[in-house]
Amino acid sequence: LLRADAMGFDDLLLNMIDLLEHSEEVLQLYQNLFAYIHVDEYQDTNKAQYHVIKLLGSEHRNVFAVGDDAQSIYSWRGARIENIFEFQRDFPEHRLVRLEQNYRSTQVILDAANALITNNPEQIPKQLWTAVRGGEPIRVASYWDETDEATGIVREIERLRQAGLLQQWSDAAILYRINAQSQVLEDAFRRADIPYRIIGGISFYKRKEIKDALAYLRLLVNPSDDEAFLRIINEPPRGLGQATIEHLRLWAAHHEVPLLAAAARATEISAIARPKQAVLTGLARLIATAAEKTTAPLAEAIHHYLEQTGLLSYYTAQATEEALDRYENIARLIADIAEYAAAQELNQQTPSLEEYLQRVSLLTSADETSDSDAVLLMTLHAAKGLEFPVVVIAGLVEGLLPLIRATTTDRDRQEERRLFYVGITRAKERLMLTYPRNRSTFGLVQGTLPSSFLAELPLELLDADRPEDFAPRRSEQLSRGLSPSPAPSNGRPARYRTGMRILHPSFGEGI
């Protein structure tokens, strides 16, 4: 950028601060030029932006900042909720105006949001109200697992449409914490032949990391798939440049063999340096070895294979929000393979990776609709600023919402609560909250706990399937861990069978 005499957005901001701090003349010029300063979406500002506001506003002190501390949900982008509290300290003569009347949601929905956010110690207290009193109780539905949950959500959307309570599909939005949750929802809407669209993201099977993982799997069933090989040759990065890949392609074409076979014989390609030859032969050996082991429990074999490729560790090592999201997507893909294998075994059929890949290719070709009238699927972050007559928030289990990572702090937990608050206040007329009693991670089934945030909602506002799940003793259960939930008594086949691998929060992985 420096050589191009250009600057990125961060450079523009930091260089402006540097200039204002070191040139009194320039500072006074811009302080007089901007005697009145208006800041919108103030809760999304970062430290540097607030510093600019203070520098420019310190002379005339006419700063008008509009923001909602309860909707500060972008700390991972650098946003600081502290800017709101520091504004009051740095401008002690300020006047605080609370905009508490709401023109969107029913009072029931607002009462739930008010009750939730009072649990955050760092806030400017507010009490949202609306002139439209009452409203439908908030539906809280419990399901056996994520697949059952997705099916239940689709059935509820269908019921509302048939009852005339949903005028068009696009009046309904399904919100979730992480992108990986969309997979079971997409499958459920496809099966029901209900149009859907992903907002602020792309369909599960079109995501880069899923395409990469599927390319690795395609090579197990078809080693001649050159397209798949070219996709994964540097995923994760292996230091193989275009020259090396071109030498490989030319050699493969000359000897009339697939690229994977050429990689296995890379030591015969003199144009490729020895270190690169070792990388190629190692990759080919890894794929060949994995291809021989797909007869083992399918999901377990695939999990081990993708770990060996380095794809999973590549994303965990980055430890960014985006990288961890990609990691979760691959975990969801492996869980889907496990669910496919379990369904095949229940029907006394042998699961096959080739059949699974054929199934996925059909799903991909029949992906989300381009129609404007479609049910909307999006993350809670993507929903900020939007509103819908009907909102469903899915996956309300501890560890997912609130999202709990190894580095999670109390500050993070407060932001997760604000994120839930944002989701609740997207609903205009009807709100449905759902959670599965079991989740599958990398194909291992684990019992869950309902989100602790559910216990912060007044019971009198809820129409809950299992209100006893929100009992105060939940904190004791958290410390002990939960076994997978008992099988449903509705006649549906249980997903647990003798010999099945599961993951227990306290006792770990086992049979």
Side-chain angles (χ1 to χ4, degrees):
L1 285 174
L2 192 60
R3 286 196 301 270
D5 197 23
M7 287 188 284
F9 180 78
D10 290 343
D11 297 323
L12 287 170
L13 195 58
L14 295 175
N15 287 330
M16 174 172 60
I17 291 172
D18 186 60
L19 180 62
L20 294 176
E21 285 185 331
H22 292 90
S23 173
E24 188 66 29
E25 181 182 356
V26 172
L27 177 62
Q28 288 182 1
L29 171 67
Y30 284 99
Q31 283 177 338
N32 291 325
L33 184 62
F34 302 117
Y36 296 89
I37 298 172
H38 181 194
V39 187
D40 197 13
E41 299 290 354
Y42 181 63
Q43 75 280 349
D44 295 335
T45 56
N46 59 35
K47 189 170 186 176
Q49 290 168 329
Y50 181 52
H51 193 47
V52 171
I53 293 167
K54 285 196 295 181
L55 286 169
L56 295 178
S58 59
E59 178 65 23
H60 297 286
R61 306 186 73 78
N62 295 319
V63 181
F64 188 85
V66 180
D68 184 358
D69 58 294
Q71 297 193 55
S72 180
I73 58 173
Y74 291 117
S75 66
W76 48 281
R77 290 183 182 173
R80 295 175 74 246
I81 191 173
E82 291 83 3
N83 287 357
I84 289 180
F85 309 126
E86 289 173 9
F87 184 97
Q88 298 175 82
R89 179 198 67 196
D90 297 332
F91 295 90
E93 72 275 29
H94 74 275
R95 184 161 70 95
L96 179 65
V97 180
R98 291 178 173 84
L99 303 179
E100 296 174 305
Q101 184 171 7
N102 182 283
Y103 298 91
R104 173 190 296 152
S105 306
T106 67
Q107 192 61 52
V108 167
I109 292 168
L110 296 180
D111 286 346
N114 288 333
L116 174 76
I117 205 63
T118 55
N119 290 278
N120 269 8
E122 296 179 5
Q123 62 161 309
I124 295 175
K126 294 175 291 295
Q127 197 69 21
L128 301 181
W129 62 276
T130 177
V132 182
R133 311 305 298 173
E136 291 291 318
I138 297 168
R139 180 89 176 90
V140 183
S142 168
Y143 296 97
W144 166 243
D145 63 6
E146 309 108 301
T147 303
D148 195 27
E149 179 185 29
T151 302
I153 289 170
V154 169
R155 285 175 180 164
E156 178 64 11
I157 297 299
E158 285 181 312
R159 185 190 71 79
L160 291 173
R161 186 69 188 263
Q162 291 167 3
L165 301 174
L166 195 65
Q167 299 305 311
Q168 51 190 8
W169 294 121
S170 57
D171 283 344
I174 319 299
L175 314 183
Y176 37 83
R177 178 60 180 87
I178 60 174
N179 282 304
Q181 292 173 260
S182 78
Q183 187 266 335
V184 287
L185 291 164
E186 292 184 63
D187 281 359
F189 279 107
R190 285 193 197 97
R191 287 194 301 270
D193 198 26
I194 295 177
Y196 74 91
R197 282 193 297 131
I198 305 284
I199 302 298
I202 56 178
S203 182
F204 183 82
Y205 295 107
K206 291 181 180 177
R207 293 168 193 164
K208 176 191 177 300
E209 62 279 7
I210 297 303
K211 286 184 172 183
D212 292 342
L214 289 173
Y216 271 111
L217 301 187
R218 280 160 52 194
L219 286 169
L220 297 183
V221 300
N222 181 12
S224 300
D225 191 334
D226 285 352
E227 181 185 8
F229 183 81
L230 288 172
R231 182 171 188 94
I232 60 91
I233 191 169
N234 266 323
E235 293 293 345
R238 295 186 172 91
L240 300 172
Q242 281 304 118
T244 298
I245 296 171
E246 188 58 28
H247 288 315
L248 183 70
R249 292 176 68 147
L250 290 172
W251 194 93
H254 178 72
H255 290 81
E256 297 182 343
V257 296
L259 290 173
L260 181 57
R265 298 169 60 185
T267 54
E268 301 176 34
I269 309 174
S270 58
I272 297 178
R274 285 189 178 180
K276 311 294 185 185
Q277 290 177 350
V279 172
L280 288 167
T281 55
L283 176 60
R285 189 164 50 250
L286 167 67
I287 294 169
T289 302
E292 297 172 358
K293 296 180 178 179
T294 54
T295 52
L298 189 58
E300 184 180 342
I302 297 306
H303 185 190
H304 180 72
Y305 170 51
L306 292 178
E307 279 187 326
Q308 293 295 306
T309 66
L311 202 58
L312 293 169
S313 58
Y314 173 65
Y315 290 124
T316 55
Q318 294 177 54
T320 63
E321 189 80 16
E322 180 183 356
L324 292 174
D325 207 32
R326 293 184 187 277
Y327 175 87
E328 294 283 359
N329 282 333
I330 297 174
R332 180 57 230 168
L333 177 68
I334 296 170
D336 188 55
I337 293 171
E339 290 166 10
Y340 154 78
Q344 289 292 96
E345 290 167 7
L346 284 172
N347 292 324
Q348 298 183 332
Q349 296 177 353
T350 303
S352 154
L353 178 58
E354 185 172 6
E355 183 182 50
Y356 176 80
L357 291 173
Q358 289 173 353
R359 169 181 169 271
V360 167
S361 68
L362 291 174
L363 289 175
T364 306
S365 62
D367 231 323
E368 56 180 319
T369 181
S370 57
D371 294 344
S372 58
D373 186 23
V375 177
L376 306 176
L377 276 59
M378 69 194 81
T379 64
L380 286 157
H381 283 100
K384 186 171 179 289
L386 304 177
E387 61 181 45
F388 311 94
V390 175
V391 167
V392 180
I393 304 179
L396 279 161
V397 296
E398 202 70 9
L400 196 53
L401 187 65
L403 187 66
I404 299 175
R405 309 275 197 203
T407 56
T408 298
T409 63
D410 183 62
R411 184 176 184 272
D412 297 326
R413 191 176 181 84
Q414 289 190 52
E415 180 158 330
E416 290 292 301
R417 186 178 283 110
R418 293 194 294 270
L419 186 58
F420 186 31
Y421 173 93
V422 167
I424 288 174
T425 53
R426 299 311 92 196
K428 296 169 67 176
E429 299 166 11
R430 285 179 169 78
L431 175 63
M432 181 179 184
L433 311 175
T434 69
Y435 63 93
R437 299 190 296 281
N438 301 282
R439 286 186 71 217
S440 182
T441 305
F442 288 118
L444 300 177
V445 182
Q446 184 177 18
T448 67
L449 287 167
S451 170
S452 52
F453 293 159
L454 289 172
E456 298 174 0
L457 306 179
L459 276 175
E460 63 270 19
L461 302 177
L462 310 179
D463 172 17
D465 287 346
R466 298 161 60 100
E468 67 276 9
D469 285 353
F470 317 141
R473 64 176 178 274
R474 180 179 54 250
S475 59
E476 299 171 17
Q477 294 172 331
L478 267 173
S479 63
R480 292 198 309 268
L482 286 183
S483 298
S485 175
S489 57
N490 57 5
R492 196 156 96 56
R495 294 206 174 213
Y496 297 108
R497 308 173 313 283
T498 302
M500 186 176 187
R501 301 184 70 83
I502 65 169
L503 183 66
H504 188 280
S506 297
F507 306 117
E509 184 178 336
I511 303 293

